[in-house]
Amino acid sequence: MDNRLSAILVWALAALLTASLHTACAQVRETTGPVQVEIELQFVEFQLADLEPVTREGAIDMPVILALRQKGKGRLLAAPKVVTCSGQNATVKGVKEYIYPTEYEVSWPKGTNVVAASSPAVVPAALETREGGAVLNVTPTLAPDRELIDLILQPEFVWPPVWKDYGWTSTDPAGNKKEFRAEQPFFHSCNLCTHIVVHSGAPVLVGGGLPGPDGTTMVYALVTARIVDARGELALKE
């Protein structure tokens, strides 16, 4: 009987030690394993008429922005989001490519005496490409206490271009008129480059006060960084 009791006690102690070891290993993995950070940056556009009353009372800060958003003010332009490991650079973009000529060549029709009777052809000689939309480049680094997140941010938002025609009208010797189009895009953008430290899950106003394309709005940039696990779930309670 004593032997059976001793065996049971040994088995129970071994099971308890095994469970404790598994718990300890899980805690070690949780505190020392690879960490992922989810970063979301919002570009929000506000009407100047909505901002002027609050600027008379003080600076525009995060509580002011949140209060305006709760009142239904502001328009979300874009909200790029990306997840990356601590210390690893990441880029996310949602853009449209605009290809446009920067130089033109004049080409006359080939043949005898066609110059006097024909109009030249104007064709693009050089092309450039620019992206319009939202881009977020970020490098997050988790602090040793796993409460603060160091962020190096380079976000940019580019509106669709406004096209201006620099073309002209040509008249050939026969009196025929021909229009030549030479459109060029004008891009309006908001971008910033900054290095900040944030708490996980806390939204932060990282920049703004930048005028919109028509001069009647201002754009602000808000960032929220969260520590997540391999399943994309929050690793720490906020």
Side-chain angles (χ1 to χ4, degrees), residues 30-235:
E30 184 178 338
T31 56
T32 62
V35 175
Q36 298 183 128
V37 183
E38 174 192 88
I39 307 99
E40 178 181 273
L41 189 132
Q42 297 181 1
F43 291 99
V44 185
E45 184 179 48
F46 293 92
Q47 295 293 324
L48 290 179
D50 296 328
L51 295 174
E52 288 178 356
V54 297
T55 56
R56 289 194 291 266
E57 300 176 2
I60 297 177
D61 53 16
M62 195 64 210
V64 170
I65 294 295
L66 291 178
L68 289 172
R69 294 291 285 156
Q70 291 175 355
K71 294 179 181 179
K73 307 296 184 181
R75 181 171 71 97
L76 182 65
L77 298 176
K81 178 189 291 187
V82 68
V83 176
T84 185
C85 291
S86 176
Q88 297 297 312
N89 179 261
T91 299
V92 60
K93 59 172 65 176
V95 299
K96 178 180 179 180
E97 287 189 345
Y98 294 91
I99 303 175
Y100 55 95
T102 56
E103 298 178 11
Y104 293 88
E105 289 183 352
V106 178
S107 176
W108 291 89
K110 296 181 180 181
T112 305
N113 297 326
V114 294
V115 173
S118 304
S119 297
V122 179
V123 295
L127 298 175
E128 283 193 7
T129 301
R130 180 164 183 183
E131 296 174 335
V135 178
L136 172 61
N137 181 281
V138 58
T139 302
T141 302
L142 194 59
D145 60 8
R146 297 210 168 195
E147 293 183 1
L148 297 176
I149 305 172
D150 181 285
L151 295 176
I152 300 176
L153 291 165
Q154 289 183 292
E156 181 179 33
F157 183 81
V158 181
W159 279 263
V162 175
W163 295 86
K164 184 175 181 180
D165 187 12
Y166 289 92
W168 68 94
T169 300
S170 174
T171 303
D172 62 22
N176 300 315
K177 292 184 178 182
K178 184 176 181 180
E179 292 186 356
F180 298 93
R181 300 183 64 83
E183 292 185 328
Q184 290 292 298
F186 286 78
F187 292 92
H188 186 89
S189 66
C190 289
N191 58 77
L192 61 93
C193 178
T194 187
H195 186 178
I196 62 173
V197 176
V198 300
H199 282 278
S200 178
V204 176
L205 176 63
V206 293
L210 306 174
D214 59 4
T216 65
T217 60
M218 279 193 178
V219 179
Y220 290 84
L222 321 174
V223 69
T224 304
R226 299 180 177 89
I227 302 171
V228 298
D229 58 22
R231 296 172 295 182
E233 299 178 355
L234 293 178

